[in-house]
Amino acid sequence: MDRYDVIIVGTGAGGGTLARHLAPSGKRILLLERGDWLPRELENWQTEAVFVENRYVSPDTWYDRDGTAFAPQVHYFVGGATKLYGAALYRLRKEDFGELRHHDGISPAWPIPYDELEPYYTLAEQHYHVHGARGEDPTEPPASAPYPHPAVSHEPRIQQLADDLAAAGHQPFHAPCGIMLDEASPPHSTCIRCAQCDGFPCLVHAKSDAEVLGVRPALEHPNVTLLTNAKVERLETNEAGTAVTEVVVSREGSEERFGADVVVVSCGAANSARLLLSSSNDRHPNGLANGSDQVGRNYMFHDSLAVLALSREENRTSYQKTLGLNDFYFGSDDFEYPLGNVQMVGKSQAAMFRGERPRETRLAPDWTLERMARHAIDFWLSTEDLPRPDNRVTVDRDGRMTLSYTETNAEAKKRLYARVKSLLGKLDMNPDHLIHRFAYMKNDIPLAGCAHQAGTCRFGTDPASSVLDVHCKAHELDNLYVVDTSFFPSIGAVNPALTAMANSLRVGDHLLERLS
């Protein structure tokens, strides 16, 4: 059995970031990725291939609480889900680290304050080339440094929207974007500012994903090894059940075993829980690290809406994800509870919703899908999903995974959507701007849309109510850590990737001290 100082299971926002941080230490590090390198091919930027044929959705079958099978939108590649994410790299608000009262209940406090994570947010923004502008967002938490790159400029149609929102008394801001764009010197820019970014793999490696900016830099060090197509089936422990001794891997049709002083799990919230539950033994009969019965529980993935608003004029924007609005993040004048975040989503194209005929389009039959795409302005609305013990991952004896989930905070999501419609309607001050009583298309994100999954192995100070301690080490095992979004006790209402990256750097410093 090969032995390492550290084994990292998964190469996404958590695992890929951690590998880069530990690599200069000289410690022997093994990265295990169940997928392969995402192929670099013309289909990366072909909308039909990505959104209709689902070329990069990895084959997997999960089951809902009723036993109905579904195909989750998961991506098993080096870099994990970040290969196809939108690279919107927001910090959680400072208030998100404390207890917040919502319409449907309490969002619990974190066991660490925002200030403890802040230096790592700054470092993560530097590692992942985040563009932004401090001081524009009224909910922005304190920061110890400016963004490492200037805000990505709005294209004309989005600048017009930003100006209209500001004139109406709102506070739009330049959204934090993780792309390697140099607007001051386009000939030297890796990013070409195309429309094939959000939801697409980047053909030119200009997206700030965990393969390009995590795994690849780590592999420049000879002490780091990556094995692809290596699915970890279970973790085995010593007889006392106090430490992981072997990582059992299926690879190329055979079983392989590896050992390490430290084992770090970073498979994504659902699959990390699945791995721990599948690793039960006599000392851990309900699953590894699950004496609290919390492994798999408190699954969250944001209560989100994709909203398309049709404009009188064509929207010729290519890279649209440059604007955000947090005016309703903590509530509104007619609702005392938090509503959430509003941001732009990638520019819609007809193939993205081909085959779907929402009720709104049937009311306007002259609007073809192609015409709708040309005139659409695209928004993403996120309301905080609250942790619920019964929203959980379970695994049966045959390894079949069930994801049981009931929506939370539906009233807040409904009100956020109503506020967005209302504020857009009030911007109709110019015949060339958004049309009065324009049509909307809105899509609730289904259970299969698990891009923002979190919360199945939450961290805390009490072993009776949490899985991990404040360093993200399992309470019950001396050498097992989890660094993906599983550790979140709450999810806030902004994209979770940067928080996972920042926390991975925080845990990385702890591991460097431990291994020294």
Side-chain angles (χ1 to χ4, degrees):
M1 180 180 68
D2 291 339
R3 188 160 187 87
Y4 295 83
D5 295 302
V6 181
I7 292 175
I8 302 173
V9 184
T11 59
T17 303
L18 180 63
R20 173 179 172 171
H21 197 58
L22 298 182
S25 70
K27 299 296 181 181
R28 292 192 70 214
I29 299 166
L30 175 63
L31 294 174
L32 295 171
E33 170 54 53
R34 70 181 291 177
D36 208 335
W37 297 91
L38 191 147
R40 208 173 174 193
E41 55 190 4
L42 292 177
E43 287 87 349
N44 289 174
W45 280 352
Q46 291 176 359
T47 309
E48 290 276 350
V50 175
F51 287 90
V52 179
E53 299 167 11
N54 290 321
R55 185 177 182 86
Y56 304 108
V57 175
S58 299
D60 216 343
T61 301
W62 299 355
Y63 296 84
D64 66 17
R65 66 168 68 250
D66 298 320
T68 302
F70 66 93
Q73 297 288 306
V74 291
H75 310 287
Y76 301 142
F77 297 105
V78 178
T82 67
K83 290 304 297 178
L84 287 96
Y85 76 160
L89 295 177
Y90 285 78
R91 299 183 180 205
L92 285 174
R93 312 296 90 177
K94 184 173 184 177
E95 294 86 345
D96 287 324
F97 287 76
E99 183 178 284
L100 285 175
R101 185 172 297 277
H102 287 257
H103 181 270
D104 278 6
I106 298 296
S107 174
W110 287 42
I112 62 171
Y114 168 81
D115 292 346
E116 184 170 332
L117 199 57
E118 194 286 324
Y120 298 103
Y121 270 130
T122 296
L123 183 58
E125 287 169 346
Q126 293 167 357
H127 281 351
Y128 283 91
H129 293 255
V130 182
H131 297 247
R134 303 279 189 223
E136 295 181 341
D137 177 358
T139 69
E140 180 181 63
S144 56
Y147 281 107
H149 300 281
V152 179
S153 66
H154 299 315
E155 293 177 48
R157 189 67 189 88
I158 306 305
Q159 183 64 60
Q160 186 180 76
L161 175 62
D163 292 343
D164 287 351
L165 287 168
H170 297 288
Q171 299 180 75
F173 57 89
H174 287 84
C177 304
I179 52 176
M180 285 169 270
L181 174 69
D182 186 351
E183 293 192 88
S185 182
H188 299 98
S189 177
T190 305
C191 176
I192 61 172
R193 192 173 180 140
C194 69
Q196 273 68 16
C197 187
D198 194 2
F200 294 84
C202 184
L203 181 60
V204 296
H205 286 176
K207 184 189 294 188
S208 297
D209 66 48
E211 176 214 316
V212 175
L213 295 176
V215 176
R216 287 179 181 268
L219 291 177
E220 294 175 3
H221 298 261
N223 53 298
V224 179
T225 300
L226 168 68
L227 295 182
T228 59
N229 300 303
K231 182 182 179 183
V232 176
E233 300 289 352
R234 64 188 183 278
L235 307 176
E236 296 190 350
T237 71
N238 58 12
E239 187 175 349
T242 57
V244 175
T245 54
E246 295 186 52
V247 178
V248 183
V249 175
S250 293
R251 183 168 175 257
E252 298 178 351
S254 62
E255 180 181 284
E256 300 180 21
R257 291 172 176 260
F258 304 93
D261 295 337
V262 170
V263 174
V264 182
V265 172
S266 187
C267 309
N271 278 312
S272 286
R274 180 183 199 167
L275 176 59
L276 297 185
L277 293 170
S278 298
S279 300
S280 60
N281 58 32
D282 290 343
R283 293 290 184 177
H284 299 272
N286 297 318
L288 208 58
N290 197 28
S292 62
D293 191 33
Q294 292 299 304
V295 172
R297 294 188 183 274
N298 305 299
Y299 178 90
M300 301 168 283
F301 80 122
H302 278 146
D303 217 358
S304 297
L305 278 174
V307 178
L308 279 68
L310 300 182
S311 171
R312 182 188 304 275
E313 64 176 310
E314 290 190 7
N315 179 10
R316 300 180 183 276
T317 304
S318 290
Y319 186 80
Q320 188 172 250
K321 288 179 68 72
T322 58
L323 183 145
L325 187 73
N326 276 335
D327 289 9
F328 313 118
Y329 196 93
F330 294 114
S332 61
D333 52 9
D334 61 349
F335 192 67
E336 62 178 309
Y337 302 107
L339 293 179
N341 166 259
V342 180
Q343 59 182 276
M344 312 306 295
V345 74
K347 182 69 190 75
S348 59
Q349 301 175 43
M352 292 178 179
F353 41 83
R354 183 163 289 123
E356 297 180 9
R357 295 292 293 177
R359 181 180 61 85
E360 293 89 345
T361 65
R362 293 198 298 270
L363 296 177
D366 59 316
W367 284 86
T368 65
L369 296 182
E370 287 75 13
R371 187 180 176 212
M372 285 170 53
R374 290 198 306 272
H375 288 259
I377 300 177
D378 311 82
F379 299 87
W380 184 271
L381 281 54
S382 288
T383 294
E384 179 164 1
D385 187 18
L386 300 178
R388 293 284 186 265
D390 291 338
N391 285 347
R392 64 183 301 197
V393 172
T394 56
V395 181
D396 66 16
R397 293 181 180 179
D398 298 322
R400 189 173 91 162
M401 188 173 80
T402 296
L403 180 53
S404 300
Y405 179 81
T406 300
E407 183 183 28
T408 71
N409 255 350
E411 178 64 22
K413 179 175 73 170
K414 182 178 76 174
R415 287 176 177 261
L416 181 59
Y417 176 54
R419 290 305 301 253
V420 170
K421 287 180 66 175
S422 175
L423 72 88
L424 291 178
K426 293 174 182 176
L427 300 184
D428 184 32
M429 297 174 285
N430 184 310
D432 293 329
H433 290 202
L434 295 172
I435 67 174
H436 190 53
R437 298 194 185 97
F438 54 85
Y440 292 89
M441 291 173 58
K442 70 179 179 71
N443 286 321
D444 291 278
I445 306 306
L447 186 61
C450 50
H452 290 186
Q453 58 180 285
T456 57
C457 302
R458 63 181 178 181
F459 77 151
T461 56
D462 183 1
S465 60
S466 58
V467 178
L468 311 171
D469 68 13
V470 295
H471 298 299
C472 291
K473 184 188 77 65
H475 288 298
E476 300 170 22
L477 292 108
D478 296 334
N479 67 339
L480 176 63
Y481 292 77
V482 181
V483 297
D484 54 28
T485 53
S486 302
F487 85 95
F488 283 37
S490 67
I491 196 173
V494 291
N495 311 54
L498 187 72
T499 301
M501 295 162 177
N503 181 67
S504 186
L505 295 169
R506 183 184 72 94
V507 173
D509 273 356
H510 164 76
L511 290 176
L512 289 172
E513 183 176 348
R514 170 177 174 154
L515 294 166
S516 62

